Amino acid sequence: MLVLSCGKSHSQQIAPALASNVPPSVTAPISSAPAVANAPQTAEQLLNAWTAALNAADVTALAGLYADKVKFYGQSLTREEVLARKRKALAATPGFSQQVLGQPSYQDEDDSVRVGFQKRSGSPAALSDVRSTLVLVKSPRLAIREETDAVTEKRFSSAGGHAKPDSCEAAVWALVDSTPFAKQLNATIEQNLKRFSASEDLHLGGMGPFLPSETGGTYELWIGVHHPGRFENYAVFSVSPKGATTVACGQCDAPRGPISPTRSALDDFNRLCASH
């Protein structure tokens, strides 16, 4: 355990123990050869098959949906490495479920298809929502070449440059990240994580942003630590429709009153979120 969670959260601590009703496919050896029978022929079919396999904790079915090499949340892995991580996470999260919220987007990119969707997933007591992406290679078979989410993209984009946000969701992240308090919090979490080995598979991240329609009037964003099967929440940032930003946390010394984003981040937020 790194810290106690704080504020409003969909997340609770989950004991990483195998339940007696975990399907055999979670713990069975994984074949290196992908399944070909009844293989998905469209991006929509593959997204549905992927969701169904996760809900059934069927790692054998997942094996037929990934390419040989996968960019998996920022890391380049083999299919077998991805499946091993899926098997570990499913075994540690009895009752795991996943639901695609709303209508996914499908963008053709010559040799691949980019699928964007809002995902709600986790154990029954620890569901969380995140904007997610699958990139599907078309040949020699339709298969997942990349799996990522908004949290991962934010983490790597902030480390590698200062690209302008192109959506309201990205603008909320940029607004919060521009505040001195968020910068210090991120640095503290990164420093804490150095005490753990890479095999623990822990990384800085967050959840959201949750929209005013979901929270009762503000954009809400959580920053904390992702574990293979759960999320530990350090701080809850609330952003008003005008960009006023406050923070509440349990294991950090949050300032009273609003925290100050940069002028450019506030301008981007007002431009991109005005119609939301």
Side-chain angles (χ1 to χ4, degrees), residues 91-183:
T93 315
F96 175 89
S97 67
Q98 175 174 296
Q99 177 185 5
V100 175
L101 305 177
Q103 179 61 42
S105 64
Y106 302 95
Q107 181 179 353
D108 191 281
E109 298 180 339
D110 294 329
D111 68 337
S112 63
V113 180
R114 181 174 296 271
V115 185
F117 54 98
Q118 187 79 5
K119 177 179 71 175
R120 176 171 292 164
S121 62
S123 73
L127 293 172
S128 60
D129 297 357
V130 66
R131 177 66 62 181
S132 302
T133 300
L134 296 178
V135 178
L136 315 179
V137 64
K138 295 179 181 178
S139 179
R141 61 185 177 86
L142 194 64
I144 299 169
R145 183 171 69 186
E146 180 176 357
E147 180 178 336
T148 189
D149 58 26
V151 173
T152 301
E153 295 304 307
K154 181 206 75 79
R155 180 161 55 98
F156 283 97
S157 65
S158 63
H162 303 281
K164 296 280 285 183
D166 59 1
S167 68
C168 179
E169 290 84 355
V172 174
W173 271 109
L175 183 79
V176 168
D177 276 344
S178 74
T179 65
F181 179 79
K183 293 179 186 295

Side-chain angles (χ1 to χ4, degrees), residues 50-75:
W50 179 69
T51 298
L54 289 170
N55 284 328
D58 190 346
V59 179
T60 301
L62 287 174
L65 304 179
Y66 285 93
D68 292 343
K69 300 290 184 181
V70 184
K71 185 177 180 182
F72 188 75
Y73 297 97
Q75 294 182 285

Side-chain angles (χ1 to χ4, degrees), residues 4-59:
L4 298 176
S5 61
C6 60
K8 180 175 71 175
S9 174
H10 292 250
S11 176
Q12 297 177 4
Q13 303 307 319
I14 303 170
L18 285 173
S20 59
N21 62 345
V22 173
S25 58
V26 172
T27 54
I30 301 170
S31 171
S32 60
V36 294
N38 301 317
Q41 300 299 307
T42 68
E44 182 178 12
Q45 289 175 357
L46 194 146
L47 177 61
N48 291 338
W50 179 69
T51 298
L54 289 170
N55 284 328
D58 190 346
V59 179

